[in-house]
Amino acid sequence: MLLWVMFGCLTAVTLAAVLRPLFGSPRAAPEQAPSNRPHAAPAPAELAVYTDQLDQLKHQLAQGQLDAGEYEQLRVEVARRILRADDQPTGSAVAKRENLAWSGMTMVLVPLSCLALYAFLGSPNIPGRPYAANAGSLANASAAELIAKVEARLAAHPDDVRGWDAIAPIYFKLERFADAADAYQRAMRLTGETPPRLAGFAEATVLANDGIVTELARIAYQKLALVDASRFEPRFWLALAKEQDGKRDEAAADYRAILAEAPVDAPWREMVEQRLATVSPSSPRPRGPSSADVAAAAVLPEADRAAMI
């Protein structure tokens, strides 16, 4: 609360500096000779107007446009106006007093209004926490707590694409492959497909389906291969998809093409060679279940039948 009181004082000082021109001219008025009259003399501009009127009357008298009686009557009237102006405060003094009043009210009411609004809507009684304490709480928070906070944020703001991009690889590292694929897909729906999103979505989808290259993963890898034909990853998974579909000859041709272009020291070269050996013509073809196998499976309990499959 003390901090906000200080802010209120600073606001008042700032307003005083801003409103200073309304207090009056910054230059001091020249000293005038003392007078027995308690009120100020007429303004110089107003006195100049009356002096000019007297000069015009004298000129008209000299030209014969006025007789002596008319001149004297008009001269007395101008003299009366000078006396009335001398008896009233000048307009600038009145304006100065009004400016001082409004400025003082502004300097007091604005800070008080801000403090009252904060006391009503804010939380002045919450104790302050230094930055070190906040940083320590974040450092001590577990990964599950941080993920829960991000998930709560995304639940409230599902269009936060940065949140989906951030949490997708975290899901993947935690082997939550289905959640990772969903996060990548949401990010692509919001702001479009990018190579990292396509690669992450396809790989997470494959792993979420126990290594099966599903149709969605196949489409993602095809798009990724079109974007960057030099990448071996989408080519390998597309070849594996053909192998899983029973197109062993096409898969073998794709494996050979990958090995022909792959670096000799590529860490994944051995894996591709193993897949090629599996689908090559010399390797045994997968044998389907016989009629005896099907009959034996029919009488098994559901759990045992699923395990055999």
Side-chain angles (χ1 to χ4, degrees), residues 73-157:
Q73 182 179 1
L74 293 174
R75 187 189 66 79
V76 171
E77 179 61 27
V78 172
R80 289 176 179 173
R81 293 179 182 177
I82 295 176
L83 292 176
R84 281 198 300 268
D86 192 26
D87 289 335
Q88 296 178 358
T90 60
S92 60
V94 175
K96 182 177 180 179
R97 285 200 298 268
E98 293 179 353
N99 291 338
L100 286 173
W102 283 109
S103 300
M105 292 175 60
T106 303
M107 291 173 57
V108 173
L109 292 179
V110 170
L112 290 179
S113 300
C114 294
L115 290 174
L117 185 63
Y118 172 72
F120 180 73
L121 299 178
S123 302
N125 296 323
I126 295 180
R129 296 184 61 187
Y131 174 77
N134 295 333
S137 62
L138 291 177
N140 296 329
S142 64
E145 292 174 347
L146 296 177
I147 293 175
K149 291 181 180 180
V150 177
E151 289 175 340
R153 164 74 182 179
L154 291 173
H157 304 278

Side-chain angles (χ1 to χ4, degrees), residues 67-272:
D67 56 22
E70 292 175 339
Y71 167 77
E72 185 63 22
Q73 182 179 1
L74 293 174
R75 187 189 66 79
V76 171
E77 179 61 27
V78 172
R80 289 176 179 173
R81 293 179 182 177
I82 295 176
L83 292 176
R84 281 198 300 268
D86 192 26
D87 289 335
Q88 296 178 358
T90 60
S92 60
V94 175
K96 182 177 180 179
R97 285 200 298 268
E98 293 179 353
N99 291 338
L100 286 173
W102 283 109
S103 300
M105 292 175 60
T106 303
M107 291 173 57
V108 173
L109 292 179
V110 170
L112 290 179
S113 300
C114 294
L115 290 174
L117 185 63
Y118 172 72
F120 180 73
L121 299 178
S123 302
N125 296 323
I126 295 180
R129 296 184 61 187
Y131 174 77
N134 295 333
S137 62
L138 291 177
N140 296 329
S142 64
E145 292 174 347
L146 296 177
I147 293 175
K149 291 181 180 180
V150 177
E151 289 175 340
R153 164 74 182 179
L154 291 173
H157 304 278
D159 57 345
D160 185 3
V161 65
R162 295 179 60 184
W164 294 115
D165 280 334
I167 203 171
I170 297 177
Y171 282 149
F172 191 91
K173 290 181 179 179
L174 296 176
E175 297 184 359
R176 296 172 56 177
F177 301 120
D179 293 333
D182 178 68
Y184 280 120
Q185 193 173 38
R186 286 175 179 269
M188 289 189 291
R189 288 175 180 172
L190 289 172
T191 57
E193 298 172 347
T194 61
R197 290 173 182 171
L198 286 171
F201 168 75
E203 188 174 2
T205 302
V206 171
L207 295 177
N209 290 274
D210 299 326
I212 302 299
V213 183
T214 63
E215 185 63 22
L216 291 176
R218 188 202 309 267
I219 294 174
Y221 278 129
Q222 288 174 346
K223 292 180 179 179
L224 192 60
L226 291 176
V227 173
D228 188 358
S230 63
R231 300 183 63 163
F232 292 98
E233 176 192 358
R235 295 172 61 184
F236 170 78
W237 287 107
L238 290 173
L240 182 62
K242 293 178 181 179
E243 179 184 347
Q244 293 172 352
D245 291 342
K247 302 176 182 179
R248 294 164 60 90
D249 295 337
E250 296 181 15
D254 290 344
Y255 289 141
R256 292 190 186 94
I258 294 174
L259 290 173
E261 301 175 16
V264 179
D265 57 347
W268 42 265
R269 186 181 182 91
E270 183 178 356
M271 180 180 61
V272 179

